[in-house]
């Protein structure tokens, strides 16, 4: 009988389980991928490069990560699956060797007013436990320190079964930390009644000026036919009783116009229908009404801390939980380090680790009470990353979408260290990235291209970073690109004066922003750039601000509808065929009746996850068959929407299809580097950088003198940055002033004037550390930016 080998004996034959060290993808055809087959090494850092629209996200997110997620979801019970998003199997022949995928993307964190940096990570939960153990006076369990938990008291009788049943009186009490006045929001709203109605008119005369309250509509009839107020009498002549019923009445069931309905006063109705929603998610005209009619002020009861009096009064030493959450995280970490309490030692260690992770990742300047919705895409991605740094999981596939977004070159080095840290724990790290500093640390590189859209979707190179440099691909050729400083800079035509700026961490900043030139505002993440540009620039009709906030729109919205391009196209089709323009809208008369113009059918399978399938009647074209018989220049409307911006530009330039109005919009889209987007691509599938460039193209048609751009290089390939610099130059040469918040050294080198904030982040920043030309900044090397820029241009 043979003896089993001891664990310490080296066996020459590898174990069968060790063979699975590759993720194999064969025949991927998702979006623009052309039958892509690659092998990705596990437990290594693989960077995916390529021009914007080359298919990186289609391969990494829509194929590898999506299939991993789908397979995991299938392990849950059908009941649980019913609450999960539907994931169709990606278009791919073979996917082997997948592990659990965790996607760390740039989607903003929820904008709910009660969601903060502390609640989005575990930091708040740990602080609440700490205060419930050590806080003096003791006020209750951790929930007593939570601004999301209201205090509840109830009493009643419960029946206890002991021999003969008997009822026992009982009271129930839960201590929560929510401020009763603002309900944990930190702000209270005040409604300007003059914006709701014209009190000199009666309801019959159309006194209400609220969006959606048109005379004759149900919202209007609720008041005119309630019988509680006289609809023919001017509102200012109402009796006290009528005024109370009209404005403040609690919800009451009653018969109105022969129908059982709930009547309530105008103010509670407005609060429920408008104020309970995220302002950013509203339609523009409703948002304008809310901004006009509602003022938000700090809650006078809790002073904006969101907490009840008991939670504010309970302290460790001299620090309350509100004080701890308001501290800069780097200071809070130092305070926690100074607590010496053996009874909660493990908790202190865990909290210390979480707070140190914030500092390590370059977010030490945030505070835990910062609303989650105010974080930028890059900051949100790094906050999500904190959850995974302390994770005990290994052999996981982490997928990152441009983790260097919003990072100064100084901070990119820290991010690189963290990505390597995740890899060294035994995880597979997949990164979609454009920055050469981040590509440099890859163990393996996959370069997609050669172009964008239909000109992309193939693997141009696989191998090491050195191999990429020598490969001759678009990325390889541009990897060592370095923009040089300009020989001569433009002279300003005037200046925009900012005086005493003190938003967020700014320290009473005075600065003159030159006009008529390209000005770049830079500095490490958290130094106060956005506070200076967005918070202190005098807003006016002349200032056009283009940021990366999500474009609100359903899956029916696309670049053609968003930019207004569809209007001239519809009119051109209608004119050529002698029919109505509405026929050529998939949201109107021309929509396929089976799928209502969506192109896909969504089937709800009840307990199981729903599915989506291409509509068989219109074959995903979204229009009725009769509409597709109408042609313009030999193409139907669905074929035009399937064109890329570049193709459409050529199509509408001449011949029967010549449409100057469409041509102008298409030229602007091509100018901002979106020539590869198809006109009918849903907006929900665009990246943050693409969204910003789409907004920029739309705003370029407006008559604004000052353009404010927030990191326009986000998501841009090295080869496309040159095109963006050309666009910025054209804007300035046409007499506009361009102010850019940017970290990309090519944009800094190209600037006429640089304003550098710092020297650090949070309370270590907020000051102007340099103003002048890029050449002066490089020569002085007096700031972090100066050092990195000098290194970049080889000075």
């Amino acid at each position: 009988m043979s003896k089993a080998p001891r664990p310490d004996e080296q066996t020459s034959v590898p174990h069968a389980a060790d063979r699975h060290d590759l993720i194999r993808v064969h025949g991927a055809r998702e979006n623009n991928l052309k039958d892509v087959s690659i092998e990705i090494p596990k437990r290594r850092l693989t960077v995916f490069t390529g021009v914007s629209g080359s298919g990186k996200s289609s391969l990494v997110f829509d194929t590898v990560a999506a299939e991993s997620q789908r397979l995991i979801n299938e392990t849950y019970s059908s009941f649980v699956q019913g609450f999960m998003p539907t994931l169709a199997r990606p278009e791919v022949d073979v996917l082997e060797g997948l592990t659990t995928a965790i996607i760390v993307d740039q989607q903003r964190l929820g904008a709910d007013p009660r969601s903060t940096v502390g609640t989005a990570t575990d930091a708040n939960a740990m602080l609440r436990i700490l205060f419930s153990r050590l806080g003096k006076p003791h006020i209750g369990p951790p929930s007593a320190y939570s601004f999301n938990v209201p205090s509840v008291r109830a009493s009643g009788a419960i029946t206890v079964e002991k021999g003969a049943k008997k009822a026992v009186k009982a009271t129930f009490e839960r201590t929560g930390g929510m401020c009763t006045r603002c309900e944990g929001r930190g702000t209270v709203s005040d409604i300007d009644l003059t914006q709701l109605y014209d009190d000199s008119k009666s309801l019959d005369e159309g006194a209400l000026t609220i969006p959606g309250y048109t005379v004759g509509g149900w919202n209007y009839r609720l008041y005119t036919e309630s019988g509680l107020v006289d609809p023919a009498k001017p509102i200012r002549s109402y009796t006290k009783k009528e005024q109370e019923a009209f404005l403040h009445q609690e919800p009451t069931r009653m018969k109105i116009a022969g129908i059982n309905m709930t009547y309530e006063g105008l103010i509670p109705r407005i609060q429920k229908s408008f104020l309970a929603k995220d302002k950013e998610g509203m339609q523009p005209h409703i948002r304008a009404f809310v901004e006009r009619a509602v003022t938000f002020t700090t809650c006078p009861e809790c002073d904006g801390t969101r907490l009840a009096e008991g939670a504010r009064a309970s302290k460790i030493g001299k620090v309350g939980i509100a004080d701890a959450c308001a501290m800069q995280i780097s200071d809070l970490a130092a305070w926690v380090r100074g607590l010496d309490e053996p009874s909660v030692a493990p908790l202190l260690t865990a909290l210390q680790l979480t707070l140190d992770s914030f500092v390590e990742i370059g977010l030490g300047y945030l505070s835990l009470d910062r609303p989650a919705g105010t974080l930028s895409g890059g900051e949100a991605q790094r906050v999500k990353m904190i959850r995974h740094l302390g994770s005990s999981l290994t052999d996981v596939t982490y997928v990152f979408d441009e983790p260097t977004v919003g990072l100064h070159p100084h901070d990119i080095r820290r991010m690189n260290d963290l990505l390597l840290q995740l890899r060294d724990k035994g995880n597979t790290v997949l990164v979609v990235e454009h920055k050469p500093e981040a590509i440099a640390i890859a163990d393996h590189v996959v370069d997609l291209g050669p172009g964008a859209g239909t000109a992309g979707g193939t693997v141009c190179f696989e191998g090491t970073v050195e191999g990429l440099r020598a490969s001759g691909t678009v990325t390889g050729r541009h990897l060592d690109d370095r923009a040089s400083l300009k020989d001569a800079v433009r002279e300003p035509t005037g200046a925009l004066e900012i005086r005493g700026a003190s938003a967020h961490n700014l320290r009473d900043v005075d600065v003159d922003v030159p006009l008529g030139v390209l000005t770049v505002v830079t500095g490490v993440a958290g130094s106060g750039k956005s506070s200076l540009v967005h918070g202190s620039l005098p807003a006016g009709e002349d200032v056009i601000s283009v940021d990366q906030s999500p474009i609100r729109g359903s899956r029916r919205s696309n670049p053609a509808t968003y930019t207004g391009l569809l209007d001239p196209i519809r009119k051109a089709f209608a004119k050529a065929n002698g029919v109505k323009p509405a026929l050529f809208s998939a949201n109107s008369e021309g929509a396929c009746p089976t799928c209502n113009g969506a192109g896909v059918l969504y089937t709800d399978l009840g307990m199981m996850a729903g599915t989506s399938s291409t509509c068989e009647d219109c074959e995903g074209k979204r229009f009725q068959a009769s509409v597709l018989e109408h042609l313009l220049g030999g193409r139907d409307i669905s074929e035009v929407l399937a064109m890329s911006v570049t193709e459409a530009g050529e199509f509408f330039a001449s011949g029967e299809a010549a449409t100057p109005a469409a041509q102008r919009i298409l030229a602007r889209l091509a100018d901002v580097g979106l020539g590869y987007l198809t006109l009918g691509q849903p907006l929900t599938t665009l990246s943050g950088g693409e969204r910003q460039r789409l907004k920029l193209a739309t705003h370029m048609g407006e008559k604004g003198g000052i353009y404010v751009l927030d990191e326009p290089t986000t998501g841009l390939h090295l080869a496309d940055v040159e095109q963006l610099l050309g666009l910025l130059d054209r804007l300035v040469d046409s007499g506009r002033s361009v102010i850019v918040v940017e970290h990309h050294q090519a944009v800094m080198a190209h600037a006429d004037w640089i304003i550098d904030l710092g020297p650090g982040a949070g309370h270590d920043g907020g000051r102007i550390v340099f103003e002048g030309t890029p050449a002066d900044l490089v020569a002085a090397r007096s700031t972090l930016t100066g050092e990195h820029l000098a290194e970049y241009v080889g000075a």
Side-chain angles (χ1 to χ4, degrees):
M1 186 176 157
S2 63
K3 192 175 70 166
R6 293 208 327 269
D8 58 347
E9 284 178 6
Q10 292 295 314
T11 54
S12 56
V13 184
H15 195 287
D18 294 333
R19 290 191 313 238
H20 305 283
D21 54 358
L22 291 171
I23 296 174
R24 292 184 181 82
V25 181
H26 288 286
R29 295 177 300 281
E30 199 65 31
N31 298 331
N32 67 333
L33 297 178
K34 295 173 182 165
D35 224 19
V36 166
S37 297
I38 60 162
E39 293 186 337
I40 304 166
K42 284 190 186 173
R43 294 175 285 283
R44 296 289 181 273
L45 195 152
T46 302
V47 173
F48 293 79
T49 62
V51 296
S52 306
S54 59
K56 303 181 298 295
S57 297
S58 301
L59 180 59
V60 181
F61 292 95
D62 302 344
T63 304
V64 176
E67 179 64 356
S68 171
Q69 196 73 60
R70 189 182 73 85
L71 293 173
I72 290 165
N73 287 3
E74 284 188 354
T75 64
Y76 299 120
S77 68
S78 54
F79 174 74
V80 173
Q81 285 183 42
F83 297 99
M84 290 180 159
T86 310
L87 298 168
R89 188 181 186 284
E91 280 279 318
V92 61
D93 294 335
V94 181
L95 261 179
E96 290 177 344
L98 291 177
T99 69
T100 306
I102 293 176
I103 298 173
V104 189
D105 59 15
Q106 290 177 39
Q107 290 296 327
R108 302 282 176 120
L109 294 167
D112 185 278
R114 293 200 197 96
S115 177
T116 65
V117 168
T119 60
T121 56
D122 289 337
N124 245 75
M126 290 191 271
L127 265 182
R128 291 200 297 268
I129 298 170
L130 185 68
F131 273 86
S132 71
R133 301 283 188 278
L134 305 180
K136 300 274 189 305
H138 176 75
I139 56 164
S143 62
Y145 295 89
S146 171
F147 53 76
N148 283 326
V149 179
S151 292
V152 178
R153 283 185 184 80
S155 59
I158 56 171
T159 306
V160 180
E161 290 191 29
K162 269 189 184 173
K165 292 181 182 176
K166 61 173 185 174
V168 178
K169 271 282 206 204
T171 57
F172 165 79
E173 202 168 302
R174 178 182 69 194
T175 308
M178 181 186 283
C179 167
T180 50
R181 173 80 188 272
C182 66
E183 296 184 339
R185 285 186 168 87
T187 57
V188 286
S189 55
D190 202 11
I191 296 177
D192 179 359
L193 297 181
T194 61
Q195 298 295 336
L196 304 187
Y197 54 78
D198 178 351
D199 68 354
S200 65
K201 293 181 178 176
S202 67
L203 288 175
D204 284 345
E205 292 167 337
L208 297 185
T209 55
I210 306 160
Y213 283 68
T214 46
V215 178
W218 270 115
N219 283 332
Y220 219 94
R221 291 175 67 185
L222 193 69
Y223 296 98
T224 55
E225 301 185 27
S226 64
L228 298 174
V229 294
D230 182 353
K233 187 160 76 175
I235 292 175
R236 63 168 61 146
S237 307
Y238 281 2
T239 63
K240 204 167 184 184
K241 189 179 176 187
E242 282 179 316
Q243 196 90 23
E244 182 65 26
F246 177 55
L247 290 178
H248 305 289
Q249 175 120 350
E250 292 290 312
T252 314
R253 291 294 286 174
M254 59 196 297
K255 236 185 182 66
I256 297 175
I259 302 167
N260 282 328
M261 293 179 74
T262 300
Y263 174 92
E264 66 183 322
L266 197 59
I267 288 175
R269 194 171 164 82
I270 292 289
Q271 282 171 329
K272 282 178 194 166
S273 57
F274 292 135
L275 303 192
K277 294 177 185 166
D278 167 24
K279 203 160 70 171
E280 288 306 307
M282 295 175 177
Q283 291 170 289
H285 70 288
I286 292 178
R287 192 187 319 156
F289 161 73
V290 170
E291 284 169 353
R292 213 173 47 238
V294 184
T295 53
F296 292 93
T297 50
T298 303
C299 173
E301 200 160 301
C302 67
D303 200 21
T305 60
R306 307 155 178 257
L307 291 162
E309 191 181 349
R312 297 198 306 274
S314 178
K315 302 196 172 184
I316 299 174
K318 292 182 178 176
V319 176
I321 192 164
D323 306 321
C325 288
M327 279 183 200
Q328 188 167 303
I329 289 173
S330 52
D331 296 343
L332 179 60
W335 177 72
V336 171
R337 203 173 276 116
L339 294 176
D340 182 21
E341 192 60 55
S343 62
V344 287
L347 174 66
L348 287 172
T349 308
L351 180 57
Q352 187 67 58
L353 274 171
T354 302
L355 297 174
D356 286 344
S357 296
F358 272 100
V359 179
E360 263 179 61
I361 211 162
L363 292 178
Y365 59 87
L366 295 178
S367 59
L368 294 182
D369 63 2
R370 168 93 174 254
T374 64
L375 298 180
S376 69
E379 285 171 333
Q381 187 176 28
R382 297 198 290 285
V383 165
K384 292 175 195 171
M385 199 172 172
I386 283 165
R387 297 176 193 164
H388 305 303
L389 284 172
S391 169
S392 310
L393 293 170
T394 62
D395 236 337
V396 169
T397 300
Y398 284 100
V399 187
F400 289 93
D401 183 12
E402 287 190 65
T404 58
V405 162
L407 286 184
H408 187 271
H410 173 70
D411 300 311
I412 289 177
R413 292 180 183 174
R414 280 163 146 178
M415 175 57 76
N416 284 349
D417 292 342
L418 293 163
L419 292 172
L420 294 171
Q421 209 176 304
L422 276 176
R423 176 203 67 186
D424 295 344
K425 276 175 66 178
N427 297 307
T428 305
V429 182
L430 308 182
V431 183
V432 172
E433 192 50 87
H434 292 293
K435 295 262 173 77
E437 305 98 309
I439 297 170
I441 63 162
D443 299 310
H444 187 72
V445 180
V446 177
D447 188 27
L448 285 114
T454 51
T458 59
V459 174
C460 299
F461 173 81
E462 262 190 281
T464 62
V465 178
E466 285 312 311
L468 177 66
R469 271 202 176 87
S471 67
T473 64
V474 178
T475 307
R477 288 200 307 274
H478 289 275
L479 201 56
D480 293 317
D481 274 9
R482 295 290 180 266
S484 53
L485 297 172
K486 289 198 291 198
D487 296 331
V489 293
R490 300 180 184 90
E491 285 298 317
T493 55
L496 202 66
E497 293 184 1
I498 295 175
R499 295 289 177 264
S502 54
H504 301 307
N505 66 332
L506 294 178
R507 308 216 172 167
D508 211 19
V509 169
D510 293 342
V511 64
D512 291 341
V513 181
L515 296 176
V517 298
L518 174 59
T519 304
V520 171
V521 179
T522 186
V524 295
S527 58
K529 302 180 298 298
S530 296
S531 304
L532 180 69
V533 173
H534 296 300
S536 312
L537 269 184
E541 288 172 24
D542 213 29
V543 178
I544 292 174
S545 183
V546 186
D547 60 15
Q548 291 183 35
S549 59
I551 293 171
R552 300 287 171 174
S554 68
R555 51 187 168 223
R556 289 172 173 275
S557 307
N558 54 46
T561 58
Y562 181 77
T563 57
L565 171 64
L566 205 53
D567 291 335
I569 291 177
R570 281 200 297 249
K571 283 174 187 163
F573 265 96
K575 190 176 175 187
N577 294 282
V579 291
K580 286 193 297 187
L583 276 179
F584 303 99
S585 169
N587 298 328
S588 185
E589 290 182 31
C592 162
T594 311
C595 62
N596 289 327
V600 286
L601 292 170
Y602 298 94
T603 312
D604 185 5
L605 298 177
M607 293 292 277
M608 294 194 299
T611 62
S612 63
S613 56
T614 304
C615 172
E616 288 180 6
D617 283 9
C618 67
E619 295 174 342
K621 291 179 179 174
R622 305 174 60 187
F623 293 91
Q624 295 173 24
S626 57
V627 173
L628 301 181
E629 289 168 13
H630 300 303
L631 303 179
L632 175 70
R635 303 287 187 98
D636 65 44
I637 183 73
S638 72
E639 288 174 321
V640 168
L641 289 176
M643 288 179 181
S644 68
V645 167
T646 310
E647 285 174 71
E650 291 167 9
F651 178 72
F652 288 109
S654 57
E656 186 205 340
T659 312
Q663 182 62 24
R664 281 195 295 275
I665 297 172
L666 288 162
R668 291 203 293 269
L669 285 168
D671 267 353
V672 296
L674 293 178
Y676 60 90
L677 277 191
T678 54
L679 305 186
Q681 183 177 337
L683 289 187
T684 48
T685 63
L686 299 188
S687 68
E690 285 169 337
R691 283 195 289 261
Q692 187 182 17
R693 296 199 292 285
L694 187 60
K695 286 185 196 174
L696 176 58
T698 309
H699 287 307
M700 275 167 63
E702 297 173 11
K703 291 182 170 60
I706 301 170
Y707 279 79
V708 178
L709 308 182
D710 192 355
E711 289 191 63
T713 59
T714 299
L716 270 189
H717 187 266
L718 299 159
D720 298 325
V721 171
E722 218 170 294
Q723 186 182 0
L724 178 78
L725 294 176
L727 171 68
L728 297 179
D729 277 342
R730 283 201 300 282
L731 281 172
V732 175
D733 293 338
S734 68
R736 311 260 179 53
S737 304
V738 179
I739 301 165
V740 184
V741 175
E742 191 52 86
H743 293 294
H744 202 296
Q745 288 121 311
V747 182
M748 292 182 207
H750 199 73
D752 297 307
W753 192 258
I754 285 186
I755 297 171
D756 193 14
L757 282 108
H763 59 48
D764 297 326
R767 289 189 284 266
I768 305 281
V769 290
F770 177 84
E771 285 179 85
T773 64
D776 293 342
L777 178 61
V778 167
R781 296 190 192 210
S782 55
T783 68
L784 277 172
T785 308
E787 285 172 29
H788 284 280
L789 187 58
E791 194 181 312
Y792 176 81
V793 298

